[in-house]
Amino acid sequence: MSTDIETRLREYFAVSPPALRTIGVLVISHSALARRFVFWPEPYAGQIVSDEYGPLDVQYAPMMLDRAGSEGNLDQEFRITLDTTDVQDDFRDQLDAIPLNTAERIRIDILTYLSDDLTAQQEAATLQAETVSWVVGTATITAVVPRYNVLSTGELYEPGVVPMLRAFY
């Protein structure tokens, strides 16, 4: 007998059975990339079903995802450390293909699933990359929620441009 997601989540948080755990999936995309990169920390390749993208093939990549916090950053910064060790350096070559002068940010989706059902997405967060740094074999990505302003102009208003904003800084 199938139970609804709300009941399953309530059971998960109430009893937290050891066989059931959450799995975070990282989806990295940009118009300059040849393909969408989908990673998870499980030690095997697999397939998930996303609400937005449909079925996705997932690659194993050891990662550490620090959820949003407010330490020193009012934009709720996510820090993602991703082990990118592969023989072909495919991921790094694809990131190098993104032009430096582009205004488009790398899109990062963090999808969460329960380990017993990879077809029912539990939550999703859409982020944009602020910085990407590279050390041999490891990429560190800091990402924030996309910045939208009320007028949707994409302009950032600063005290140098609008002096009356100085009172708010």
Side-chain angles (χ1 to χ4, degrees):
M1 181 168 97
S2 175
T3 58
D4 63 338
I5 290 176
E6 201 171 302
T7 306
R8 289 179 56 221
L9 279 174
R10 190 176 301 118
E11 176 185 313
Y12 171 75
F13 288 121
V15 238
S16 189
L20 189 62
R21 65 190 189 292
T22 58
I23 298 175
V25 176
L26 197 64
V27 181
I28 301 173
S29 58
H30 189 275
S31 62
L33 297 177
R35 65 184 178 91
R36 186 178 296 124
F37 287 90
V38 186
F39 300 114
W40 69 0
E42 300 297 306
Y44 51 85
Q47 189 174 42
I48 59 167
V49 178
S50 167
D51 292 346
E52 184 175 349
Y53 301 114
L56 293 171
D57 292 322
V58 186
Q59 296 175 302
Y60 166 65
M63 70 176 80
M64 185 172 60
L65 174 64
D66 292 335
R67 297 287 177 165
S70 59
E71 287 185 30
N73 192 336
L74 295 177
D75 288 329
Q76 298 294 303
E77 180 180 78
F78 287 75
R79 181 175 297 276
I80 303 159
T81 305
L82 184 64
D83 182 1
T84 57
T85 307
D86 65 347
V87 177
Q88 293 85 15
D89 266 345
D90 185 34
F91 183 63
R92 183 170 185 167
D93 291 342
Q94 289 295 320
L95 286 180
D96 285 342
I98 299 173
L100 294 176
N101 59 354
T102 184
E104 179 188 358
R105 302 276 177 112
I106 297 172
R107 178 180 171 164
I108 298 172
D109 293 307
I110 300 174
L111 312 175
T112 305
Y113 295 86
L114 290 177
S115 59
D116 66 338
D117 187 6
L118 298 176
T119 60
Q121 179 179 318
Q122 302 299 311
E123 64 181 3
T126 300
L127 309 170
Q128 66 183 16
E130 285 283 304
T131 62
V132 178
S133 60
W134 199 275
V135 179
V136 177
T138 304
T140 302
I141 304 168
T142 57
V144 296
V145 175
R147 292 188 174 119
Y148 302 115
N149 59 16
V150 175
L151 301 175
S152 300
T153 61
E155 292 183 38
L156 294 177
Y157 297 102
E158 298 177 353
V161 179
V162 184
M164 292 186 310
L165 287 177
R166 290 183 198 278
F168 296 105
Y169 275 84

